């Protein structure tokens, strides 16, 4: 009367494990309910009064008295950081599609030459 392993899941052991887990969860739920009903408030120790350190207070006082560095913002530097759109039709001309396509082909040939030389 020996059962050998076979292909596929063993439903009997799965059912046993499932039932065991179900009982564990039920037990833990009951314990949790019991503990919630019978909980007692444990008095905590009084907090220690915080004593401010003298050296920290001195450091804070010193930090308040140091002069802050001054920043100089001129109108030119503000304009350089945030350039505004030019007024009028003085926009630079855009390169034509043909010139861009020719440039792309030349650069593609240069990359192919580098790959042939195994530089890249």
């Amino acid at each position: 009367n020996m059962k050998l392993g076979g292909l596929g899941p063993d439903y009997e052991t799965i059912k046993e494990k499932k039932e065991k887990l179900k009982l564990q969860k039920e037990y833990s739920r009951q314990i949790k309910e019991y503990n919630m009903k019978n909980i007692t408030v444990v008095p905590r120790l009084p907090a220690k009064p915080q004593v401010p350190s003298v050296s920290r207070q001195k450091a804070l006082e010193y930090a308040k008295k140091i002069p802050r560095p001054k920043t100089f913002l001129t109108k030119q530097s503000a304009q350089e950081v945030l350039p505004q759109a030019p007024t009028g039709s003085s926009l630079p001309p855009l390169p034509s599609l043909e010139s861009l396509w020719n440039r792309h082909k030349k650069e593609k040939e240069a990359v192919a030459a580098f790959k042939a030389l195994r530089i890249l």
Side-chain angles (χ1 to χ4, degrees):
N1 293 339
M2 182 193 282
K3 183 175 180 185
L4 299 176
L7 297 176
D10 185 11
Y11 291 111
E12 292 176 16
T13 56
I14 291 174
K15 286 180 184 178
E16 291 171 4
K17 288 181 182 180
K18 188 175 178 182
E19 186 64 31
K20 186 176 179 182
L21 281 174
K22 187 177 176 182
L23 291 174
Q24 285 178 350
K25 286 183 181 183
E26 178 64 25
Y27 178 73
S28 66
R29 186 187 60 78
Q30 289 175 358
I31 295 295
K32 185 177 180 181
E33 286 177 5
Y34 176 78
N35 288 338
M36 291 301 285
K37 288 178 186 175
N38 298 330
I39 193 166
T40 58
V41 178
V42 177
R44 295 186 181 183
L45 295 176
K48 293 181 181 178
Q50 292 189 2
V51 179
S53 66
V54 177
S55 60
R56 178 170 169 75
Q57 291 298 327
K58 287 181 182 179
L60 289 174
E61 284 297 318
Y62 177 76
K64 288 179 185 175
K65 293 179 183 177
I66 320 178
R68 303 281 186 248
K70 296 179 182 178
T71 58
F72 297 103
L73 287 178
T74 61
K75 291 184 179 182
Q76 287 181 342
S77 64
Q79 288 176 355
E80 290 174 4
V81 172
L82 300 172
Q84 297 178 356
T87 57
S89 64
S90 63
L91 294 174
L94 295 175
S96 68
L97 184 60
E98 289 181 16
S99 64
L100 291 174
W101 187 252
N102 290 335
R103 179 179 165 195
H104 172 70
K105 285 183 180 178
K106 288 178 185 176
E107 290 176 353
K108 198 173 180 181
E109 290 171 0
V111 169
F114 284 134
K115 284 187 179 179
L117 296 173
R118 296 186 185 204
I119 294 176
L120 289 178

